[in-house]
């Protein structure tokens, strides 16, 4: 029944009941706390698990070995132009015929352990027709033993003269020739200085130089004293050139001198290699010298005009002679009919002597761009040559430089006296950097109408590999084929399968020259080396290319026609070649000039520009292919 009493108050509870209620309240509160704590614990545990998992995953990724990835290979692809050119290189084999051709010469540098600098610079070689039988003979320049160091049972060594039988076989004819005298020879120059129709021989040396007058019948007379071209006994002469610098019809003589040297100075310089001791070295610590220029007086006598001619260049800072000359190429740089001179200097700037036409020269190495490399540095220049390798108006000057320095290829830039080094873009530079280059020349070895390049290489120091693993004492030659390209690489290095292994045989190379020794129209090569035999290399190309060869005889100009230019036009291409045996390093090539025609069976025009500027054209119908044409200067 419902209680309707208003404001009815609850009855007080007993202590026991109160205790029960508090206990129940405590139990409920405890239950609630346990729930909260449990939830908190479970969330904490979950968080800890997540942290543990994160740490574990981190440790796993830190410590685990990375999965192997497929390597990315970046293929280096040669430029298309170069690949095409390489595949197009013709097969033109060179064969070593040194022994079979009868060449027994061995260069004697006189080394006895003293490590004297001249011992490692080598000797030159010359192709020339000394007996006028229309084939190219050979002359090897030799040094000899140093005073007081002649080995028991040995005789002092001399020059070596070899007569060609016309088929590329040689017989030594030195004995009794007048060339069989002993001195420390280095280089040579060939020219008919008295216009008697016989080629004379000038030999440079450590000490006095020698001029040998060709008497005919295989005999030579030493006329050095009466000609006054010996030079100072304290000088060390290297390359030399016969030139008609004053266009008076007889040949004058330019002679390079290297450094101020003596045995005492050499030991005072005391060049050494770490771990080896005394060694051959570069000439930085030797004082420079002056070259010689001798004017031909026309009566067998010469006058030294070096001082008045403007070729004695001094170091502007010290006032001492600046030249350290090893190579020279005579060439008319500005087409004014006067011969100029480009001189290769070792570790100092190269010289460009521009002929002023009044008996003097102006040195323009720095302003022409030929004096230094592209960064304004000097290099160790050895051999040198010049040629119109593009068959246009761009003249190229090639210089062989020291190891780890590229071969230089200075090319005229519109103006005939402004050059830029195009060695890198032409392709010849990077391929040549490692080697130590000495002899260098342009020649058309495959007779395709374009000038190629050959360098002969070798180091100074026998033990160089002990301190520079990238260097060897004996080094291979390099043959560069002219691709004909203008905007891409002009030259590519010829591999052994395209030229044979004989021409690339490692030697301690120095001098080099070329000539057609067997009458087949192509150009054969000789390379010399220090303390060893030369390499005579026969060109065995079988490309069926046509060719022209010209032998010029001057009447108003010097009889050897040195300095004359021959231009052969075929369509819109004109090949220009100079009559100039002086090229390379310490050496002389043949006087006869060769033109390759490739597959062409005719030419459109042949023009000769004689020294002094007179011109003579040959009717195209009278120019006969695949033979030598002898041309005498018209009145």
């Amino acid at each position: 029944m419902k209680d309707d009493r208003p404001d009815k108050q609850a009855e007080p509870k007993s202590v026991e009941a109160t205790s029960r209620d508090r206990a129940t309240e405590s139990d409920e509160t405890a239950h609630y706390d346990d729930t909260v704590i449990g939830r908190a614990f479970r969330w904490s545990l979950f968080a800890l698990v997540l942290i543990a998992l994160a740490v574990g995953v981190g440790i796993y990724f830190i410590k685990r070995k990375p999965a192997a990835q497929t390597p990315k290979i970046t293929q280096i692809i040669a430029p298309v132009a170069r690949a095409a050119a390489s595949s197009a290189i013709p097969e033109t084999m060179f064969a070593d015929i040194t022994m079979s051709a009868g060449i027994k010469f061995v260069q004697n540098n006189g080394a006895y352990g003293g490590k004297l600098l001249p011992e490692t610079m080598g000797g030159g070689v010359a192709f020339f027709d000394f007996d006028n039988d229309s084939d190219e003979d050979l002359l090897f320049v030799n040094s000899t033993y140093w005073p007081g160091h002649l080995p028991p049972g040995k005789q002092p060594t001399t020059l070596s003269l070899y007569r060609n039988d016309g088929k590329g076989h040689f017989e030594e004819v030195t004995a009794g020739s007048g060339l069989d005298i002993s001195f420390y020879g280095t280089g040579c120059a060939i020219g008919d200085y008295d216009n008697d129709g016989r080629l004379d021989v000038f030999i440079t040396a450590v000490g006095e130089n020698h001029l040998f007058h060709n008497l005919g019948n295989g005999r030579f007379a030493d006329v050095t004293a009466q000609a006054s071209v010996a030079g100072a006994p304290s000088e060390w002469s290297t390359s030399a050139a016969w030139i008609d610098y004053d266009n008076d019809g007889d040949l004058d003589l330019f002679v390079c001198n290297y450094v101020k040297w003596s045995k005492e100075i050499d030991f005072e310089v005391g060049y050494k290699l770490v771990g080896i001791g005394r060694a051959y070295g570069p000439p930085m610590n030797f004082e420079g010298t002056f070259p010689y220029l001798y004017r031909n007086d026309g009566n067998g006598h010469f006058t030294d005009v070096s001082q008045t001619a403007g070729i004695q260049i001094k170091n502007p800072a010290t006032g001492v002679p600046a030249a350290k000359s090893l190579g020279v190429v005579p060439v008319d740089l500005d087409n004014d009919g006067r011969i100029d001179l480009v001189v290769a200097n070792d570790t100092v700037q190269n010289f460009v002597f521009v002929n002023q036409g009044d008996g003097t020269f102006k040195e323009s190495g720095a302003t022409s761009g030929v004096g230094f490399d592209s960064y304004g540095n000097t290099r160790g220049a050895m051999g040198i040559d010049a040629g119109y390798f593009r068959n246009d108006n761009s003249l190229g000057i090639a210089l062989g430089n020291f190891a780890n320095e590229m071969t230089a290829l200075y090319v005229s830039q519109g103006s005939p006296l402004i050059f830029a080094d195009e060695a890198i873009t032409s392709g010849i530079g990077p391929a040549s950097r490692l080697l130590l280059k000495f002899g260098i020349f342009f020649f058309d070895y495959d007779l395709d109408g374009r000038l190629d390049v050959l360098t002969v290489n070798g180091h100074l120091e026998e033990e160089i590999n002990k301190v520079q693993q990238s260097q060897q004492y004996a080094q291979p030659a390099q043959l560069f084929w002219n691709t004909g390209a203008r905007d891409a690489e002009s030259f590519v290095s010829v591999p052994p399968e395209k030229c044979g292994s004989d021409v690339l045989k490692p030697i301690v190379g120095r001098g080099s020259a070329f000539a057609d020794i067997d009458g087949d129209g192509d150009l054969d090569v000789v390379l010399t080396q220090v303390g060893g035999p030369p390499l005579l290399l026969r060109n065995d190309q079988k490309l069926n290319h046509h060719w022209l060869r010209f032998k010029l005889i001057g009447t108003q100009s010097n009889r050897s026609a040195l300095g004359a230019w021959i231009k052969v036009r075929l369509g819109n291409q004109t090949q220009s070649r100079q009559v100039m045996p002086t090229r390379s390093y310490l050496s002389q090539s043949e006087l006869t000039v060769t033109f390759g025609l490739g597959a062409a069976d005719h030419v459109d025009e042949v023009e000769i520009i004689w020294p002094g500027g007179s011109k003579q054209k040959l009717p195209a119908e009278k120019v006969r292919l695949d033979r030598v044409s002898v041309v005498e200067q018209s009145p």
Side-chain angles (χ1 to χ4, degrees), residues 123 125 382-383 400-401 407 435-441 453-459 475-480 503 505-513 525-530 535 537 584-585 587:
V125 60
M382 314 292 183
N401 290 316
T407 293
L435 300 170
L436 201 166
K437 289 74 63 182
F438 275 88
I440 186 171
F441 54 67
V453 173
L454 179 76
T455 69
V456 57
N457 315 306
H459 214 281
Q475 299 180 357
Q478 279 190 305
L479 180 62
F480 292 93
V503 68
K505 175 184 176 182
I507 62 172
V508 190
R510 295 295 185 263
S512 60
V525 170
V526 64
L527 313 177
T528 70
Q529 66 172 327
V530 173
L535 274 181
L537 299 157
S584 185
Y585 170 75
S587 301

Side-chain angles (χ1 to χ4, degrees), residues 44-351:
S44 298
L45 183 61
F46 180 68
L48 289 172
V49 170
L50 287 178
I51 294 171
L53 285 173
V55 172
V57 170
I59 293 173
Y60 168 76
F61 278 104
I62 291 172
K63 291 188 174 182
R64 76 183 183 96
K65 293 181 180 179
Q69 297 180 358
T70 303
K72 292 183 179 180
I73 300 175
T74 302
Q75 292 185 347
I76 300 176
I77 302 173
V80 174
R82 180 167 186 170
S86 297
S87 64
I89 297 174
E91 184 177 293
T92 302
M93 297 296 173
F94 287 85
D96 180 0
I97 61 167
T98 311
M99 295 301 294
S100 62
I103 304 298
K104 299 177 181 178
F105 172 78
V106 177
Q107 198 264 351
N108 172 29
N109 64 354
Y112 63 91
K115 296 277 187 176
L116 302 178
L117 187 56
E119 297 167 359
T120 197
M121 300 306 288
V125 60
F127 278 119
F128 76 119
D129 184 9
F130 79 87
D131 52 3
N132 284 336
D133 63 353
S134 299
D135 54 41
E136 299 299 326
D137 308 301
L138 264 173
L139 175 67
F140 293 99
V141 180
N142 209 353
S143 302
T144 192
Y145 301 104
W146 294 108
H149 293 278
L150 180 66
K154 295 287 187 179
Q155 295 295 320
T157 48
T158 72
L159 307 172
S160 289
L161 180 66
Y162 285 84
R163 177 186 287 122
N164 189 348
D165 67 358
K167 299 177 182 179
H169 187 272
F170 295 83
E171 175 190 5
E172 185 171 5
V173 292
T174 313
S177 68
L179 300 176
D180 48 348
I181 63 175
S182 182
F183 56 95
Y184 207 96
T186 52
C188 56
I190 304 298
D192 182 3
Y193 75 85
D194 58 350
N195 291 326
D196 65 355
R198 297 185 293 267
L199 292 174
D200 308 301
V201 175
F202 180 77
I203 304 294
T204 62
V206 176
E208 294 186 343
N209 303 316
H210 293 263
L211 175 60
F212 296 96
H213 182 225
N214 191 336
L215 303 175
N217 298 315
R219 296 280 301 169
F220 292 82
D222 189 338
V223 295
T224 310
Q226 50 265 50
S228 298
V229 291
S234 60
E235 288 287 0
W236 171 4
S237 299
T238 53
S239 293
W242 292 104
I243 57 172
D244 185 5
Y245 80 94
D246 50 6
N247 285 332
D248 64 351
D250 54 32
L251 291 177
D252 313 296
L253 182 63
F254 180 87
V255 183
C256 294
N257 289 317
Y258 189 30
V259 294
K260 183 178 180 181
W261 182 89
S262 68
K263 180 178 178 180
E264 293 72 26
I265 294 173
D266 205 325
F267 276 103
E268 184 178 341
V269 168
Y271 186 80
K272 295 181 180 180
L273 287 175
V274 177
I276 292 177
R278 181 163 171 79
Y280 301 113
M284 279 87 75
N285 293 322
F286 291 89
E287 189 176 301
T289 58
F290 292 137
Y292 297 135
L293 179 62
Y294 297 102
R295 187 190 64 224
N296 191 335
D297 297 331
N299 56 1
H301 182 269
F302 293 78
T303 298
D304 186 345
V305 295
S306 308
Q307 186 173 6
T308 58
I311 64 166
Q312 293 186 343
I313 308 301
K314 294 182 180 180
N315 185 312
T318 63
V320 301
K324 298 182 181 181
S325 306
L326 288 175
V328 58
V329 59
V331 58
D332 182 3
L333 295 171
D334 50 4
N335 299 309
D336 63 356
R338 300 188 291 263
I339 203 78
D340 308 302
L341 297 163
V342 186
V343 178
N345 282 322
D346 190 2
T347 71
V348 297
Q349 78 158 83
N350 303 312
F351 294 150

Side-chain angles (χ1 to χ4, degrees), residues 413-433:
Q413 306 293 303
S415 171
L417 294 178
I418 300 297
F419 291 80
D421 190 352
E422 298 185 8
I424 293 177
T425 55
S426 73
I428 202 171
S432 66
R433 182 187 294 275

Side-chain angles (χ1 to χ4, degrees), residues 241-243 329-330 339 562-563 578-583 589-591:
W242 292 104
I243 57 172
V329 59
I339 203 78
L562 297 189
Q578 184 181 208
V579 180
M580 183 51 63
T582 303
R583 59 189 74 235
S589 291
E590 65 176 353
L591 283 170

Side-chain angles (χ1 to χ4, degrees), residues 369-604:
V370 177
F372 304 92
D373 70 8
S374 300
Y375 301 98
N377 299 315
T378 60
R379 291 185 282 200
M382 314 292 183
I384 186 171
D385 196 10
Y388 288 95
F389 68 95
R390 289 177 177 163
N391 292 337
D392 61 9
N393 294 324
S394 301
L395 179 68
I397 300 173
L399 286 94
N401 290 316
F402 202 78
N404 299 312
E405 298 174 345
M406 292 184 294
T407 293
L409 182 60
Y410 297 101
V411 182
S412 56
Q413 306 293 303
S415 171
L417 294 178
I418 300 297
F419 291 80
D421 190 352
E422 298 185 8
I424 293 177
T425 55
S426 73
I428 202 171
S432 66
R433 182 187 294 275
L434 190 64
L435 300 170
L436 201 166
K437 289 74 63 182
F438 275 88
I440 186 171
F441 54 67
F442 290 104
F443 76 137
D444 183 3
Y445 78 92
D446 60 340
L447 299 176
D448 66 352
R450 299 188 298 266
L451 289 173
D452 312 296
V453 173
L454 179 76
T455 69
V456 57
N457 315 306
H459 214 281
L460 299 180
E461 173 56 49
E462 301 102 312
E463 299 182 278
I464 189 63
N465 183 250
K466 293 182 179 179
V467 293
Q468 293 184 39
Q469 292 186 354
S470 64
Q471 292 294 321
Q472 300 292 335
Y473 185 45
Q475 299 180 357
Q478 279 190 305
L479 180 62
F480 292 93
W481 181 64
N482 189 335
T483 68
R486 295 183 56 83
D487 299 325
E489 290 177 311
S490 304
F491 294 97
V492 292
S493 182
V494 182
E497 61 268 20
K498 292 296 183 76
C499 62
S501 58
D502 287 352
V503 68
L504 304 179
K505 175 184 176 182
I507 62 172
V508 190
R510 295 295 185 263
S512 60
F514 63 80
D516 177 12
I517 64 173
D518 47 11
D520 62 357
D522 55 34
L523 296 174
D524 311 293
V525 170
V526 64
L527 313 177
T528 70
Q529 66 172 327
V530 173
L535 274 181
L536 181 60
L537 299 157
R538 186 183 61 217
N539 188 332
D540 288 337
Q541 64 86 24
K542 295 178 174 62
L543 300 171
N544 297 317
H545 287 167
H546 292 296
W547 47 272
L548 301 172
R549 282 170 56 80
F550 295 96
K551 180 180 179 180
L552 303 188
I553 300 174
T555 53
Q556 285 75 47
S557 70
N558 69 87
R559 187 175 177 85
S560 301
L562 297 189
W565 285 92
I566 307 173
K567 297 180 179 290
V568 173
R569 183 174 63 83
L570 179 59
N572 60 358
Q573 287 273 317
T574 299
Q575 297 183 46
S576 300
R577 306 281 187 269
Q578 184 181 208
V579 180
M580 183 51 63
T582 303
R583 59 189 74 235
S584 185
Y585 170 75
L586 307 178
S587 301
Q588 304 274 293
S589 291
E590 65 176 353
L591 283 170
T592 304
V593 179
T594 298
F595 293 83
L597 301 179
D601 59 1
H602 73 285
V603 296
D604 295 319

